Amino acid sequence: MTRLGDLERAVMDVLWDRGTGTGATVREVAEALRDRELAYTTVMTVLDRLAGKGMVEREREGRAWRYRPAASREAHIARLMLDALDLAGSRDAALVRFARSVTGTEAEVLRAALAGEADDTPASTDRPPAAERQG
């Protein structure tokens, strides 16, 4: 399970918010996180570690590297959810408990997905985006 620390998650959020096609250099990520007052080398180290974990892909762009998410935020979260189910004593019990905890709108999305009628494009939900929830 590729769990992310707080700083890794913040860096990934910058990359995910830019989209999988665009990516960013270390300097661009550091600028996006300027309110955290991180050293350039700190951001570079985090991106290097994320590359080692397979979370980001990188390619040379002049003298710098451009980093892109290896998968979408939604694909990452889905993988975490599946990994968490692997930890359950009973996958069925965990799924039932999860299903009972979702909102009405989320339950509709799950029903549509199970019926093959839903896509994985972001839709509005009752919950604010991650950046707003973190405060």
Side-chain angles (χ1 to χ4, degrees), residues 7-28:
L7 186 51
E8 289 175 323
R9 176 61 193 248
V11 167
M12 287 304 301
D13 281 340
V14 169
L15 295 176
W16 281 323
D17 289 347
R18 287 175 166 260
T20 54
T22 307
T25 63
V26 174
R27 189 160 313 283
E28 291 167 340

Side-chain angles (χ1 to χ4, degrees), residues 41-100:
T41 54
T42 300
V43 176
M44 183 173 58
T45 298
V46 170
L47 283 163
D48 187 56
R49 288 183 179 163
L50 288 168
K53 291 180 177 183
M55 291 293 299
V56 298
E57 299 168 345
R58 63 184 176 188
E59 66 182 48
R60 273 285 194 207
E61 185 174 279
R63 295 178 60 198
W65 289 100
R66 179 158 295 274
Y67 294 85
R68 290 178 180 78
S72 70
R73 183 185 331 232
E74 294 76 17
H76 174 68
I77 298 302
R79 181 76 251 157
L80 288 175
M81 292 169 72
L82 290 169
D83 289 346
L85 278 176
D86 288 342
L87 299 174
S90 167
R91 287 177 70 107
D92 291 351
L95 283 170
V96 168
R97 192 153 217 157
F98 175 76
R100 288 182 180 158

